[in-house]
Amino acid sequence: EEIIDGVSERGGHPVQRLPLRQWILKITEYGDKLLEDLEGLDWPEGTMTAQKTWIGRSEGAEVDFMIEGLEAETLTVFTTRPDTLMGVTYVCIAPEHPLVDRLVTDEFKDKASAYVKEASSKTELQRTSQGAKAEKTGVPTGSYAVHPLTGEKVAIWIADYVLGGYGSGAVMAVPAHDDRDMQ
């Protein structure tokens, strides 16, 4: 059944994304081999692009940010641009990130709860779409991470364009070096 604007196509019922226990292929362990095996196949370009996107192999680094007030926890972000670490001004986590409930302060609880619920009704494609109509949204958690190089506080936001299943489910924002952070 299709989902259109957060409701089922046939019945018009609200649809919500929920995490389910299920079998998962650990594709990340085999990403290089899968990409290598695509070479030499006589497949249409669109199919090859779809396969490479599905494999989702990204080169980058994980960076740990301490969390102010939760000294035993760190927030790990995945970045394809570790060279921009000095320019980090805030950090975004996926609405489904396991630390969301612990990071949201009382001041932002209602707003964050509504935002997480709204994000759960969107598909990953809707959440990550890029283009003229793509709007980046987010809400503050009220919590702060500690910049690993400068020791300065950086705000932690919840943003629907960050996906829990990609990397660590958290990204660093560097507006001076990434046009997407200015949207």
Side-chain angles (χ1 to χ4, degrees):
E1 192 169 342
E2 288 291 315
I3 300 169
I4 300 172
D5 295 327
V7 296
S8 63
E9 178 186 37
R10 284 194 243 169
H13 304 289
V15 177
Q16 187 176 23
R17 221 175 153 77
L18 298 172
L20 300 175
R21 288 192 66 171
Q22 57 189 342
W23 289 94
I24 296 174
L25 291 172
K26 247 186 134 175
I27 193 168
T28 53
E29 288 188 21
Y30 307 102
D32 290 334
K33 176 80 171 122
L34 289 167
L35 286 172
E36 184 180 298
D37 288 349
L38 288 175
E39 298 301 319
L41 292 177
D42 187 25
W43 286 0
E45 187 60 37
T47 303
M48 293 292 275
T49 300
Q51 288 298 307
K52 289 176 183 175
T53 301
W54 179 78
I55 293 168
R57 180 82 172 86
S58 293
E59 294 287 331
E62 289 185 341
V63 179
D64 289 333
F65 286 77
M66 299 300 292
I67 301 171
E68 189 176 74
L70 294 176
E71 277 67 30
E73 293 281 354
T74 58
L75 184 58
T76 302
V77 302
F78 175 79
T79 179
T80 57
R81 294 287 313 271
D83 58 313
T84 63
L85 181 59
M86 268 311 276
V88 172
T89 57
Y90 61 98
V91 175
C92 292
I93 60 174
E96 60 274 12
H97 195 283
L99 289 177
V100 164
D101 291 336
R102 294 184 59 202
L103 292 173
V104 175
T105 62
D106 289 341
E107 179 184 359
F108 296 102
K109 226 174 230 348
D110 291 340
K111 196 173 196 176
S113 179
Y115 184 80
V116 168
K117 185 176 180 180
E118 179 186 333
S120 73
S121 69
K122 295 179 182 179
T123 66
E124 287 187 0
L125 185 61
Q126 289 171 320
R127 287 173 53 182
T128 59
S129 66
Q130 297 178 12
K133 294 183 180 180
E135 181 182 355
K136 304 293 187 243
T137 64
V139 293
T141 63
S143 291
Y144 293 87
V146 179
H147 194 292
L149 299 178
T150 66
E152 293 178 16
K153 290 182 359 178
V154 293
I156 302 173
W157 284 67
I158 302 168
D160 64 356
Y161 68 90
V162 182
L163 303 177
Y166 178 76
S168 61
V171 298
M172 58 186 208
V174 188
H177 300 285
D178 192 334
D179 292 339
R180 295 172 297 179
D181 291 333
M182 300 303 282
Q183 296 178 345

